Amino acid sequence: MPDTTTIYIDGKEIKAQKGENLLNVALKNGISIPNLCYHKNLSPTGACRMCIVKVEGMRGYMASCTVNINDGMKITAFDDELEQVRKTTLEMLLSNHNDDCINCTRDGDCELQDLAFRYDLGKSQRTLKSLVENTECYNDLSSPVLDYDASKCIQCERCVKACYEMQGKGVLSLAGRGINTHINAGWQEWKTSECDGCGQCVQSCPTGAIVQKPISGIRVRKKDIEKKVTTTCPYCGVGCQLEISIIGNKIVKVEGADEIPNFTKTCVKGRFGLDFVDRPERLKKPLIKLNGEFIEVEWEEALNYTAQKLTEIKNKYGSQALMGVSSARCLNEENYVIQKFVRTVFENNNIDHCARLCHASTVAGLANSFGSGAMTNSIEELEQSDVILITGSNTTETHPVIATHIKRAVLFNNAKVIVIEPRKIDLVKYSTLWLQEKNGTDVVWINGMINVILNENIQNQKFIDERTENFNELKKTVEKYTPEYVEEITGIPTEQLIQAARIYAGAQKASIIYSMGITQHSHGTDNVKSLANLAMVTGNIGKKSSGVNPLRGQNNVQGACDTGALPNVYPGYQKVDDPNAQEKFEKAWGVPLSNKFGLTITEMMDKAIDGEIKAIYLVGENPMVSDPNISHVREALESVEFLVCQDIFPTETTELADVIFPSASFAEKDGTYTNTERRVLPVNKIIEPIGESKPDWWIIQEIAKRMGYEMNYSSHKDILAEINSLTPSYAGITYDRIMQGEKLQWPCPSIDHPGTKYLHKDKFTKGKGTFFAIDYIPSKEIPSKDYPFVLSTGRVLYHYHTGTMTRKTKALPQYVEGPYVEINDTNAQNLGIESGDTVKVSSRRGKIILQAVVTDKVAIGSVFIPFHFAEAAANMLTNNVLDPVAKIPEFKVCACQIEKVISNPEKAKICACQMEK
Ligand code: SF4
């Protein structure tokens, strides 16, 4: 516990912590010392000199933001002398400032304007001449998301510090001298710099020097804003809390809320990528396909027609002929209703969602090793890890705000980062070691690290003896994985492997971070279990800032799994073949339930082609871009008799539907998402639904009623109450607690439980942790003469999933407009390919035409394609071969060929610049 002490400010007695920041203490106690360069989330700068005070026993004026509290300090915060010095300082700042308040978007929201008013320093009251009036000051309007105007900059450095200290980037600095001093983005235009548009500088700027571009088409001042609502970001699994400003029914501004898990941070998508919500392309009315054409109909007609068609198919072919696909984009409450609908109305367990395509192997693997298939620790704990091992996760692009925690751990806490990746990702810059493995060889290097750890006797034997089982089996299996053998298969030099093993095993607190580079393989479950082995061998599990942390991709993929949108479990992972669970849900839902596991999405495609699945009800998914082997997906979706889609936009998949229902977006409904760290977060309605769109749970409920099953939820509250009553891990995460601002992590078994920050303390969920002895199985498709390259797919920072939302925003396509393939310099030279050339990439399943980007990011013999772009969908090429346990496809490895189609030197510069970010 920090020591408490008493200080005196202007005679007022104040209790404070020893070492606390004096200015912060004063402000917290209602003593309004003026300040400009200070920000509570940043280290003090002491540059503006507005916060000067007198401290008894110290000479001169002290900038209170740079003073730490000491026993019995006596401080003068206000007297005539201090106020006069402040006024003079402020006047000097104002003489260097362009008072364009009349046309400034920060009018009414400017800390300099507030102080000018407070000290009565209007233009006519000033004695100093303006230095900027007739000076041409530096400005930079090149960024897609922000504008910089040096004439309004007071050089407080808050933006510089926010960029480095909060985001861990360090792109910004001060440049120039005197009147020409300005903020500089890496000595080049903002647009071509390393700035990735996160906007932390915009949020930290106290004046109108750095402002957001009017991305919603409206210039916004504080006084114009009609309301602000805090909600959860609809993009990735970090679950950033966003404070969203509204004018009319339009989102006009987004700021990071100062709350867990992001504490004001966001990435470019969360801050500048929400204008998709009211794009004209939104689906606004139900559509029914007649003679190949969609026609708009009333809700009643669409609901009746859909219910009737589904009932006919069920009666004709039996209940096994129907399948539901739920959505990681939807609320917990919606996923719960969708899976309940399938189980009670379709009368089967044919319910799945896109977790099958990203982390099914995590759910299966970690559940077997530890008893629980989720992130073991919390995002904020990463900053206190001694070692962070990152594998199969391009964290900066996929979970940008989590990457800031990793960067901060390195920059401010001396953490060591080990990156084990085939591709040179951004975090390599922050790493102690980068092990460049060959795609698909994860089991080999993990077994190799365990081999080194056991040979050097640096394992945690006490942990192994007390908390695990099956260690001897593992020990036998890893014997052959010597560093030399590992190098042969993975390409990782022996010395690097040994060093990595020593660093990881030597840490007091070591975290493993992984994502789809580990899971999306035909041996994805083996990869996950192997990482669990590594953590248990060193005892780096069940304690703070350690653990095995799968980063879940979409905003609510964790919640969709938790609420039962899976074919083998009810909500809370209660098995459908467990008679107790079956009885419990039958009693609650009032109908008999099937105890037979249902189909996965990947199996659904085959069964549709075989004619066993006749109707698919698909909510918020776009498999025509997201699923492997798209020709196969098209064949499957075209084979069924009836396809229903619910979505916010028309997509490549809705084109194939028989009925389309317009869904309300995240901004138009209330409920909850569960982020990657098991934290249940509020989703609050911001605007009225666009057109006639409705929440997904409402649409499903209406269909259920028409098919003879009564659902009568009046709001998301009723649904959450039912989830609480049937899902032990969510029992204490009630509507009232969420409304009171609690952001709880499951398991939270009762209303007085504080939630669980990290799992497996003292005991694994399943009792003892199980080691699995796993041998390497190569990927199913390896390079050949006809297909000599290895293709891997993934995301880029500026787009999300199938691009349905991000590609409709104003800002994000300005960073990355369309599809491209990364090719290694050496391969490109041999093939005569330059950046910007048009190339054909083909695999055994299809071909696509796209732009080449020549780079050393990918290894010789490897290529990488982002999967967001339907016009050159990477998934035309990927292999739909499955992991036998988790049924996840092998997105990350397939063999392909590249040929040059057209030279296009004009594009070269643009592509190279996109790739440098
Ligand atoms: Fe949204 Fe993820 Fe970006 Fe946070 S990091 S703003 S949750 S996309």
Side-chain angles (χ1 to χ4, degrees), residues 340-357:
K340 180 176 173 181
F341 166 70
V342 168
R343 293 188 157 113
T344 56
V345 179
F346 288 178
E347 298 179 63
N348 62 36
N349 288 306
N350 291 342
I351 174 70
D352 204 10
H353 71 287
C354 68
R356 186 67 47 204
L357 308 175

PDB file of all heavy atoms in Angstrom, residues 340-357:
ATOM      1  N   LYS A 340     -31.223 -21.102 -29.634  1.00  0.00           N
ATOM      2  CA  LYS A 340     -32.442 -21.659 -29.024  1.00  0.00           C
ATOM      3  C   LYS A 340     -33.479 -21.965 -30.112  1.00  0.00           C
ATOM      4  O   LYS A 340     -34.150 -23.008 -30.088  1.00  0.00           O
ATOM      5  CB  LYS A 340     -33.005 -20.654 -28.000  1.00  0.00           C
ATOM      6  CG  LYS A 340     -34.269 -21.125 -27.310  1.00  0.00           C
ATOM      7  CD  LYS A 340     -34.722 -20.126 -26.252  1.00  0.00           C
ATOM      8  CE  LYS A 340     -36.077 -20.500 -25.671  1.00  0.00           C
ATOM      9  NZ  LYS A 340     -36.547 -19.548 -24.664  1.00  0.00           N
ATOM     10  N   PHE A 341     -33.588 -21.062 -31.069  1.00  0.00           N
ATOM     11  CA  PHE A 341     -34.505 -21.237 -32.199  1.00  0.00           C
ATOM     12  C   PHE A 341     -34.192 -22.538 -32.954  1.00  0.00           C
ATOM     13  O   PHE A 341     -35.076 -23.349 -33.235  1.00  0.00           O
ATOM     14  CB  PHE A 341     -34.362 -20.010 -33.111  1.00  0.00           C
ATOM     15  CG  PHE A 341     -34.959 -20.133 -34.481  1.00  0.00           C
ATOM     16  CD1 PHE A 341     -36.340 -20.168 -34.662  1.00  0.00           C
ATOM     17  CD2 PHE A 341     -34.145 -20.181 -35.612  1.00  0.00           C
ATOM     18  CE1 PHE A 341     -36.892 -20.252 -35.939  1.00  0.00           C
ATOM     19  CE2 PHE A 341     -34.676 -20.266 -36.884  1.00  0.00           C
ATOM     20  CZ  PHE A 341     -36.053 -20.309 -37.051  1.00  0.00           C
ATOM     21  N   VAL A 342     -32.904 -22.737 -33.255  1.00  0.00           N
ATOM     22  CA  VAL A 342     -32.519 -23.951 -33.998  1.00  0.00           C
ATOM     23  C   VAL A 342     -32.856 -25.194 -33.177  1.00  0.00           C
ATOM     24  O   VAL A 342     -33.421 -26.168 -33.683  1.00  0.00           O
ATOM     25  CB  VAL A 342     -31.011 -23.900 -34.354  1.00  0.00           C
ATOM     26  CG1 VAL A 342     -30.524 -25.257 -34.859  1.00  0.00           C
ATOM     27  CG2 VAL A 342     -30.758 -22.818 -35.401  1.00  0.00           C
ATOM     28  N   ARG A 343     -32.553 -25.150 -31.875  1.00  0.00           N
ATOM     29  CA  ARG A 343     -32.722 -26.348 -31.036  1.00  0.00           C
ATOM     30  C   ARG A 343     -34.198 -26.649 -30.765  1.00  0.00           C
ATOM     31  O   ARG A 343     -34.597 -27.807 -30.705  1.00  0.00           O
ATOM     32  CB  ARG A 343     -31.944 -26.179 -29.729  1.00  0.00           C
ATOM     33  CG  ARG A 343     -30.446 -26.150 -29.998  1.00  0.00           C
ATOM     34  CD  ARG A 343     -29.572 -26.165 -28.781  1.00  0.00           C
ATOM     35  NE  ARG A 343     -28.271 -26.685 -29.166  1.00  0.00           N
ATOM     36  CZ  ARG A 343     -27.129 -25.993 -29.182  1.00  0.00           C
ATOM     37  NH1 ARG A 343     -27.103 -24.746 -28.779  1.00  0.00           N
ATOM     38  NH2 ARG A 343     -26.025 -26.556 -29.601  1.00  0.00           N
ATOM     39  N   THR A 344     -35.011 -25.586 -30.627  1.00  0.00           N
ATOM     40  CA  THR A 344     -36.409 -25.826 -30.270  1.00  0.00           C
ATOM     41  C   THR A 344     -37.324 -25.905 -31.492  1.00  0.00           C
ATOM     42  O   THR A 344     -38.310 -26.633 -31.478  1.00  0.00           O
ATOM     43  CB  THR A 344     -36.931 -24.693 -29.354  1.00  0.00           C
ATOM     44  OG1 THR A 344     -36.723 -23.451 -30.028  1.00  0.00           O
ATOM     45  CG2 THR A 344     -36.230 -24.671 -28.028  1.00  0.00           C
ATOM     46  N   VAL A 345     -36.990 -25.159 -32.548  1.00  0.00           N
ATOM     47  CA  VAL A 345     -37.893 -25.094 -33.712  1.00  0.00           C
ATOM     48  C   VAL A 345     -37.421 -26.035 -34.818  1.00  0.00           C
ATOM     49  O   VAL A 345     -38.199 -26.821 -35.352  1.00  0.00           O
ATOM     50  CB  VAL A 345     -38.009 -23.638 -34.218  1.00  0.00           C
ATOM     51  CG1 VAL A 345     -38.928 -23.576 -35.434  1.00  0.00           C
ATOM     52  CG2 VAL A 345     -38.529 -22.726 -33.112  1.00  0.00           C
ATOM     53  N   PHE A 346     -36.131 -25.967 -35.167  1.00  0.00           N
ATOM     54  CA  PHE A 346     -35.615 -26.920 -36.163  1.00  0.00           C
ATOM     55  C   PHE A 346     -35.522 -28.327 -35.547  1.00  0.00           C
ATOM     56  O   PHE A 346     -35.436 -29.321 -36.247  1.00  0.00           O
ATOM     57  CB  PHE A 346     -34.234 -26.500 -36.661  1.00  0.00           C
ATOM     58  CG  PHE A 346     -34.224 -25.281 -37.574  1.00  0.00           C
ATOM     59  CD1 PHE A 346     -33.027 -24.777 -38.070  1.00  0.00           C
ATOM     60  CD2 PHE A 346     -35.400 -24.637 -37.942  1.00  0.00           C
ATOM     61  CE1 PHE A 346     -33.008 -23.669 -38.903  1.00  0.00           C
ATOM     62  CE2 PHE A 346     -35.387 -23.525 -38.774  1.00  0.00           C
ATOM     63  CZ  PHE A 346     -34.191 -23.039 -39.252  1.00  0.00           C
ATOM     64  N   GLU A 347     -35.446 -28.376 -34.211  1.00  0.00           N
ATOM     65  CA  GLU A 347     -35.367 -29.634 -33.461  1.00  0.00           C
ATOM     66  C   GLU A 347     -34.092 -30.425 -33.775  1.00  0.00           C
ATOM     67  O   GLU A 347     -34.116 -31.635 -33.966  1.00  0.00           O
ATOM     68  CB  GLU A 347     -36.612 -30.491 -33.697  1.00  0.00           C
ATOM     69  CG  GLU A 347     -37.893 -29.806 -33.221  1.00  0.00           C
ATOM     70  CD  GLU A 347     -39.137 -30.646 -33.467  1.00  0.00           C
ATOM     71  OE1 GLU A 347     -39.219 -31.729 -32.878  1.00  0.00           O
ATOM     72  OE2 GLU A 347     -39.986 -30.210 -34.271  1.00  0.00           O
ATOM     73  N   ASN A 348     -32.995 -29.695 -33.924  1.00  0.00           N
ATOM     74  CA  ASN A 348     -31.689 -30.354 -34.070  1.00  0.00           C
ATOM     75  C   ASN A 348     -30.625 -29.459 -33.449  1.00  0.00           C
ATOM     76  O   ASN A 348     -30.946 -28.402 -32.895  1.00  0.00           O
ATOM     77  CB  ASN A 348     -31.386 -30.639 -35.557  1.00  0.00           C
ATOM     78  CG  ASN A 348     -31.293 -29.364 -36.385  1.00  0.00           C
ATOM     79  OD1 ASN A 348     -30.806 -28.329 -35.914  1.00  0.00           O
ATOM     80  ND2 ASN A 348     -31.763 -29.425 -37.620  1.00  0.00           N
ATOM     81  N   ASN A 349     -29.370 -29.876 -33.542  1.00  0.00           N
ATOM     82  CA  ASN A 349     -28.276 -29.033 -33.020  1.00  0.00           C
ATOM     83  C   ASN A 349     -27.417 -28.492 -34.164  1.00  0.00           C
ATOM     84  O   ASN A 349     -26.231 -28.203 -33.983  1.00  0.00           O
ATOM     85  CB  ASN A 349     -27.411 -29.838 -32.038  1.00  0.00           C
ATOM     86  CG  ASN A 349     -28.145 -30.088 -30.727  1.00  0.00           C
ATOM     87  OD1 ASN A 349     -28.625 -29.149 -30.084  1.00  0.00           O
ATOM     88  ND2 ASN A 349     -28.276 -31.349 -30.346  1.00  0.00           N
ATOM     89  N   ASN A 350     -28.037 -28.345 -35.335  1.00  0.00           N
ATOM     90  CA  ASN A 350     -27.300 -27.833 -36.495  1.00  0.00           C
ATOM     91  C   ASN A 350     -27.145 -26.320 -36.402  1.00  0.00           C
ATOM     92  O   ASN A 350     -27.737 -25.547 -37.164  1.00  0.00           O
ATOM     93  CB  ASN A 350     -28.033 -28.188 -37.799  1.00  0.00           C
ATOM     94  CG  ASN A 350     -27.991 -29.670 -38.087  1.00  0.00           C
ATOM     95  OD1 ASN A 350     -27.159 -30.394 -37.531  1.00  0.00           O
ATOM     96  ND2 ASN A 350     -28.890 -30.130 -38.953  1.00  0.00           N
ATOM     97  N   ILE A 351     -26.344 -25.884 -35.452  1.00  0.00           N
ATOM     98  CA  ILE A 351     -26.113 -24.452 -35.261  1.00  0.00           C
ATOM     99  C   ILE A 351     -24.602 -24.247 -35.120  1.00  0.00           C
ATOM    100  O   ILE A 351     -23.929 -24.947 -34.360  1.00  0.00           O
ATOM    101  CB  ILE A 351     -26.879 -23.918 -34.020  1.00  0.00           C
ATOM    102  CG1 ILE A 351     -26.513 -22.450 -33.722  1.00  0.00           C
ATOM    103  CG2 ILE A 351     -26.648 -24.775 -32.775  1.00  0.00           C
ATOM    104  CD1 ILE A 351     -27.036 -21.479 -34.715  1.00  0.00           C
ATOM    105  N   ASP A 352     -24.097 -23.319 -35.863  1.00  0.00           N
ATOM    106  CA  ASP A 352     -22.661 -23.049 -35.802  1.00  0.00           C
ATOM    107  C   ASP A 352     -22.452 -21.591 -36.197  1.00  0.00           C
ATOM    108  O   ASP A 352     -23.398 -20.879 -36.563  1.00  0.00           O
ATOM    109  CB  ASP A 352     -21.913 -23.983 -36.768  1.00  0.00           C
ATOM    110  CG  ASP A 352     -20.452 -24.198 -36.374  1.00  0.00           C
ATOM    111  OD1 ASP A 352     -20.066 -23.784 -35.266  1.00  0.00           O
ATOM    112  OD2 ASP A 352     -19.704 -24.772 -37.183  1.00  0.00           O
ATOM    113  N   HIS A 353     -21.225 -21.119 -36.114  1.00  0.00           N
ATOM    114  CA  HIS A 353     -20.924 -19.752 -36.572  1.00  0.00           C
ATOM    115  C   HIS A 353     -19.446 -19.685 -36.906  1.00  0.00           C
ATOM    116  O   HIS A 353     -18.757 -20.709 -36.889  1.00  0.00           O
ATOM    117  CB  HIS A 353     -21.326 -18.731 -35.505  1.00  0.00           C
ATOM    118  CG  HIS A 353     -20.466 -18.724 -34.293  1.00  0.00           C
ATOM    119  ND1 HIS A 353     -20.495 -19.716 -33.346  1.00  0.00           N
ATOM    120  CD2 HIS A 353     -19.520 -17.852 -33.884  1.00  0.00           C
ATOM    121  CE1 HIS A 353     -19.611 -19.445 -32.406  1.00  0.00           C
ATOM    122  NE2 HIS A 353     -19.008 -18.316 -32.701  1.00  0.00           N
ATOM    123  N   CYS A 354     -18.969 -18.485 -37.188  1.00  0.00           N
ATOM    124  CA  CYS A 354     -17.632 -18.385 -37.788  1.00  0.00           C
ATOM    125  C   CYS A 354     -16.496 -18.692 -36.830  1.00  0.00           C
ATOM    126  O   CYS A 354     -15.337 -18.687 -37.253  1.00  0.00           O
ATOM    127  CB  CYS A 354     -17.452 -17.023 -38.426  1.00  0.00           C
ATOM    128  SG  CYS A 354     -17.384 -15.734 -37.184  1.00  0.00           S
ATOM    129  N   ALA A 355     -16.772 -18.970 -35.549  1.00  0.00           N
ATOM    130  CA  ALA A 355     -15.689 -19.458 -34.678  1.00  0.00           C
ATOM    131  C   ALA A 355     -15.104 -20.731 -35.283  1.00  0.00           C
ATOM    132  O   ALA A 355     -13.939 -21.058 -35.068  1.00  0.00           O
ATOM    133  CB  ALA A 355     -16.209 -19.740 -33.282  1.00  0.00           C
ATOM    134  N   ARG A 356     -15.942 -21.442 -36.044  1.00  0.00           N
ATOM    135  CA  ARG A 356     -15.468 -22.659 -36.713  1.00  0.00           C
ATOM    136  C   ARG A 356     -14.281 -22.338 -37.618  1.00  0.00           C
ATOM    137  O   ARG A 356     -13.423 -23.184 -37.859  1.00  0.00           O
ATOM    138  CB  ARG A 356     -16.634 -23.227 -37.558  1.00  0.00           C
ATOM    139  CG  ARG A 356     -16.386 -24.548 -38.209  1.00  0.00           C
ATOM    140  CD  ARG A 356     -16.249 -25.652 -37.197  1.00  0.00           C
ATOM    141  NE  ARG A 356     -17.302 -25.594 -36.204  1.00  0.00           N
ATOM    142  CZ  ARG A 356     -17.197 -26.105 -34.979  1.00  0.00           C
ATOM    143  NH1 ARG A 356     -16.098 -26.725 -34.608  1.00  0.00           N
ATOM    144  NH2 ARG A 356     -18.196 -25.995 -34.114  1.00  0.00           N
ATOM    145  N   LEU A 357     -14.276 -21.113 -38.144  1.00  0.00           N
ATOM    146  CA  LEU A 357     -13.248 -20.745 -39.111  1.00  0.00           C
ATOM    147  C   LEU A 357     -12.073 -20.026 -38.465  1.00  0.00           C
ATOM    148  O   LEU A 357     -11.115 -19.674 -39.139  1.00  0.00           O
ATOM    149  CB  LEU A 357     -13.867 -19.836 -40.199  1.00  0.00           C
ATOM    150  CG  LEU A 357     -15.135 -20.372 -40.860  1.00  0.00           C
ATOM    151  CD1 LEU A 357     -15.702 -19.345 -41.813  1.00  0.00           C
ATOM    152  CD2 LEU A 357     -14.852 -21.672 -41.592  1.00  0.00           C
TER     153      LEU A 357
END
